[in-house]
Amino acid sequence: MNRKNKKNRFRDLDLFEKVLVFTAITLVVVIAITFVIGSIFFGFVGLFNLFGVRYTSPYSLIGFLLLLLLFGGGVDLCSITLIKLSSRYVTGKYKLFVIRMVIDCTFTWLALHTVDEYMDSITIPLKTEIIAVLLLFFIEIAFDNREKNKK
């Protein structure tokens, strides 16, 4: 039989071909995940060097990012809830933007500052914390508007 005419399905492959396909797909997924995590890590390393943040080792930086992700996620849920509740009672686009900015930046700074104070192996100056919080807020606003425009 000619292979071009026959549909190739995974279940029709022999053991070696199945292992080869599974290994190739796993390798592609692992490379993609490694690329994303590496980009985040080296992005933070670059930003921290740019803003004068001191850390003792790359492992302390990884620990900082993991703690910030965990603690910041919980704090972010609280800030989103508070923003949603306050948006019901506030009229006006600019008032809502300012209230959202104050709540979001306050909670993000709280998470960042708490993790910074908890870890002795990393030191972030207060000015850098404030710049990072404002930068994160405006990035979030930009991506929010982009998603709303696509709908």
Side-chain angles (χ1 to χ4, degrees):
M1 257 185 145
N2 192 357
R3 267 201 135 153
K4 290 181 183 178
N5 295 333
K6 186 172 129 180
K7 287 186 177 182
N8 287 331
R9 293 190 178 155
F10 187 74
R11 67 176 173 216
D12 295 334
L13 300 176
D14 64 352
L15 182 62
F16 177 74
E17 291 172 332
K18 286 181 181 180
V19 170
L20 187 67
V21 168
F22 182 75
T23 304
I25 291 173
T26 304
L27 187 64
V28 168
V29 170
V30 166
I31 289 172
I33 290 172
T34 304
F35 180 75
V36 170
I37 291 172
S39 297
I40 292 170
F41 177 74
F42 287 115
F44 269 96
V45 168
L47 285 174
F48 280 3
N49 285 335
L50 185 66
F51 286 115
V53 176
R54 294 186 185 139
Y55 53 93
T56 57
S57 71
Y59 298 111
S60 64
L61 182 59
I62 291 170
F64 174 80
L65 291 175
L66 289 175
L67 278 175
L68 185 62
L69 181 69
L70 290 174
F71 186 67
V75 170
D76 202 30
L77 287 174
C78 295
S79 72
I80 289 170
T81 304
L82 195 58
I83 289 169
K84 296 252 186 213
L85 288 173
S86 65
S87 67
R88 292 181 179 178
Y89 303 106
V90 176
T91 57
K93 187 167 59 169
Y94 296 110
K95 284 183 184 179
L96 186 61
F97 178 79
V98 169
I99 288 175
R100 180 179 177 186
M101 182 176 169
V102 168
I103 292 171
D104 194 64
C105 288
T106 301
F107 277 83
T108 304
W109 177 79
L110 177 71
L112 183 65
H113 187 72
T114 303
V115 173
D116 177 37
E117 290 299 315
Y118 176 73
M119 294 187 67
D120 294 331
S121 60
I122 192 164
T123 306
I124 303 175
L126 182 62
K127 183 173 76 171
T128 303
E129 288 179 1
I130 293 170
I131 290 170
V133 164
L134 289 172
L135 184 66
L136 287 171
F137 173 74
F138 286 116
I139 289 172
E140 182 180 339
I141 291 294
F143 281 112
D144 260 2
N145 289 340
R146 190 176 286 174
E147 288 175 2
K148 288 178 184 175
N149 289 338
K150 285 183 180 179
K151 290 179 182 179

